[in-house]
Amino acid sequence: DWVSARQVEFDRHAGHDRLRASTLTAPPPDLPMEDYEMQFGVGVIGATGFIGAPYRSEIRESKNDARIVALCARRRDRLEAAAREDGAELITHEWREVIEHPDVNLVVVATPDALHHEEVMACIEARKHLFCEKPVAANTEQAQEMATACRSAGLASYVPFWTRYVDVFVQAKEVVRSGALGQIRAVIYRWHNPRPASMPFTWRDDAELSSAGSIADVGSHAYDTMRWILGEEATRVLAHADVITPAKPDLGAIDLAEAIEWGQGHAASESEKTRKGTAFDFADIAFVFPSGIVGSLVLSHAPVLRKGLAPELEFHGTEASLAIDRIRSTLTIVRPDQDPEVLAKVPDPGFGNRFGKHVFPALRAQLAGETTEHPDLEDGLRVQMFTDAAARSARSGSWVRLAESTT
C-alpha cells in the first residue's frame, strides 16, 4: 500500500537516531485531495506503550482525518516497528523533536502523568493542537497553567474521558436529566479495575510518576462521569487511601501491557526481586456537591477488589433510584415501595474508532467555535481539582475544599 511502499532510510541528526521516509508527494488513491489537505499531521509522544499503541491504530484507520508523522518512545525496536506500521517520517527518543516537526499540528501526549506539563506547555508554545491523556498533570497548578495557556493560544484540545461515550451512561444521563428520579440526593460509585495478583511493578505504582495512583487513574474517569451527568462540580472531599497490594515483582522498566501479560502467566515467587508500590491503589472518597448531593466513591486497582458484584454507579433521588451496571449493560430503577425494574438493557457495541468518531470531530468543532460535550483541557483541569483535593485529604485525614479555578 501507499505507506509500506515508501522508501525508509536512517540518518543521524543532533546525535540521535531518526527514521525518515521520503517526502509524500501524493495522497492515497482512495482519498480526495481536498480531504487529504485537511488532515491532521499527528505526532505521538509515548507512541508504543499500553495507551499509545492502540491510539495509533485508530489514527491509522482514520485516513480522511489524519496521518501519523512523528513518533517518540524509549525503546528503539518498538519505534522501528511502529514507523513501519504508521509510515512515520520521524522516530526519536527526544520528545521535543516531535513537537518541532513542521508537519505536525496535533500532538498526542501519552506519557506518565508527571511528564505531561512540560510536554503540553511546549506544544502550546509551538502552537500545536493537543490530545492529552488523563490525568492531565501532576497537580492542579500545572493543569491550570496548561488549560489557561491553551485557551489563550486559541488551540484545540481533547482529554479522553471515554466513559461519556458508553451507551448505558449516555442513557443514564438522559434519565437523570429528565427528572424521573426527582431531586438527586446521593450518589454511590464503585470503580474497581483489579490487576493480576502477581503483576509486576510499573510506573503507575510509583508516586513520583503517577499523579495520585487509583485516585487519578480511574478516579478521573469516575468523577468526570458524575460531573457530566449531574452538571455540577464537587465542593469538598474527605478521603482515605492506601496501598493494599503486597510488594510486586520488579522487572525493570516495562509497560502495563507487558506487566499484565507477565502477571497472568506467572505466580509470585519469593526468589524474585520485589518493589512495594507507593501510589495509592485503593481509595474511599466522600464528596459533596453544591446542590447538597452527597456521595461515596470507591476506587481500586488492587487484585482483591473484584468488579461485577454490584452496579457500578447509583443515583438516589426523591422519586426513584437508578443503578447503572456497565458489565451487564443494564439500567435498573427502583421506586418507593416497589421492586427493582430493569428500565433498559443497552447493547454495548464497544468504543470503535474513538479518534474517528470523537476526537477529530471534537477538535474540528472547537476550531470552528462550536460548543460540544466533548472533553478538553478545561474538563481535565476540573477533574484534576477533584483528584488533587482527594489526594490531599487522604494525606491529611481531613475534609479538603476543591481549589478555586481562574478559568
Side-chain angles (χ1 to χ4, degrees):
D1 60 26
W2 73 283
V3 170
S4 60
R6 298 166 72 190
Q7 177 65 40
V8 177
E9 61 183 10
F10 287 97
D11 72 344
R12 299 276 180 179
H13 179 77
H16 301 290
D17 285 335
R18 303 174 72 176
L19 180 64
R20 288 195 175 276
S22 58
T23 303
L24 181 63
T25 56
D30 61 341
L31 193 63
M33 178 61 75
E34 60 268 26
D35 288 342
Y36 173 72
E37 292 174 346
M38 293 174 61
Q39 286 180 315
F40 287 102
V42 181
V44 186
I45 305 175
T48 62
F50 180 77
I51 296 172
Y55 283 173
R56 287 176 27 248
S57 176
E58 293 173 26
I59 295 169
R60 285 198 306 271
E61 294 172 0
S62 306
K63 292 183 179 180
N64 289 338
D65 293 304
R67 69 182 181 98
I68 296 174
V69 175
L71 305 172
C72 175
R74 58 186 170 82
R75 288 166 57 169
R76 184 70 192 190
D77 57 337
R78 287 187 172 187
L79 270 175
E80 293 175 4
R84 289 189 290 271
E85 289 177 334
D86 300 347
E89 297 175 8
L90 164 70
I91 63 170
T92 178
H93 303 306
E94 299 296 319
W95 58 264
R96 289 187 184 276
E97 293 187 357
V98 171
I99 297 171
E100 293 165 359
H101 194 293
D103 294 337
V104 169
N105 60 13
L106 170 64
V107 178
V108 173
V109 176
T111 51
D113 311 342
L115 307 182
H116 290 179
H117 176 258
E118 186 179 10
E119 294 161 351
V120 167
M121 294 305 293
C123 288
I124 294 170
E125 184 178 357
R127 300 197 58 78
K128 304 297 172 80
H129 304 298
L130 280 158
F131 174 105
C132 182
E133 188 54 53
K134 59 80 207 165
V136 296
N139 54 57
T140 297
E141 291 73 24
Q142 290 183 355
Q144 176 79 73
E145 184 179 7
M146 291 156 58
T148 300
C150 186
R151 184 180 64 254
S152 298
L155 297 170
S157 65
Y158 190 96
V159 177
F161 292 125
W162 302 124
T163 310
R164 294 189 183 198
Y165 305 106
V166 177
D167 287 345
V168 71
F169 286 95
V170 173
Q171 290 201 22
K173 179 180 180 179
E174 294 174 357
V175 173
V176 171
R177 293 295 185 93
S178 74
L181 306 183
Q183 185 179 7
I184 304 298
R185 302 306 303 150
V187 181
I188 308 295
Y189 210 151
R190 309 167 189 85
W191 193 307
H192 303 320
N193 186 17
R195 291 171 178 162
S198 58
M199 181 178 139
F201 190 98
T202 73
W203 70 261
R204 289 171 170 80
D205 301 300
D206 186 346
E208 292 187 2
L209 292 174
S210 170
S211 174
S214 296
I215 291 176
D217 190 340
V218 291
S220 58
H221 281 301
Y223 177 63
D224 182 73
T225 302
M226 289 189 292
R227 62 186 288 271
W228 170 68
I229 291 176
L230 295 171
E232 293 189 55
E233 304 289 344
T235 57
R236 57 194 179 102
V237 299
L238 175 65
H240 166 73
D242 209 338
V243 180
I244 65 174
T245 302
K248 299 182 175 186
D250 186 359
L251 305 185
I254 61 175
D255 67 25
L256 186 57
E258 292 172 314
I260 291 174
E261 182 179 3
W262 192 94
Q264 290 172 337
H266 293 78
S269 169
E270 293 183 1
S271 63
E272 292 167 344
K273 177 184 176 183
T274 60
R275 184 176 177 185
K276 178 72 173 179
T278 54
F280 300 131
D281 63 5
F282 171 85
D284 186 359
I285 306 168
F287 54 86
V288 178
F289 281 89
S291 66
I293 297 172
V294 298
S296 178
L297 172 60
V298 181
L299 307 164
S300 176
H301 282 104
V304 296
L305 273 75
R306 300 170 183 88
K307 54 189 175 182
L309 295 177
E312 185 170 324
L313 176 57
E314 302 169 9
F315 291 99
H316 298 278
T318 54
E319 301 296 325
S321 296
L322 182 72
I324 300 103
D325 189 329
R326 179 167 17 190
I327 291 178
R328 297 167 184 82
S329 296
T330 57
L331 290 177
T332 302
I333 194 166
V334 182
R335 298 179 177 87
D337 303 320
Q338 295 185 22
D339 292 333
E341 172 192 350
V342 176
L343 190 65
K345 186 165 181 63
V346 185
D348 183 9
F351 285 116
N353 187 322
R354 295 164 293 186
F355 276 75
K357 292 169 63 176
H358 308 304
V359 177
F360 295 129
L363 294 171
R364 288 200 171 97
Q366 286 183 49
L367 294 173
E370 300 172 11
T371 300
T372 75
E373 287 199 348
H374 295 292
D376 58 16
L377 274 178
E378 302 285 348
D379 295 290
L381 167 60
R382 299 292 176 176
V383 171
Q384 190 89 44
M385 290 163 62
F386 178 87
T387 58
D388 267 17
R392 292 200 307 273
S393 175
R395 290 189 289 267
S396 69
S398 59
W399 282 95
V400 172
R401 286 196 168 274
L402 272 66
E404 293 293 331
S405 168
T406 58
T407 58

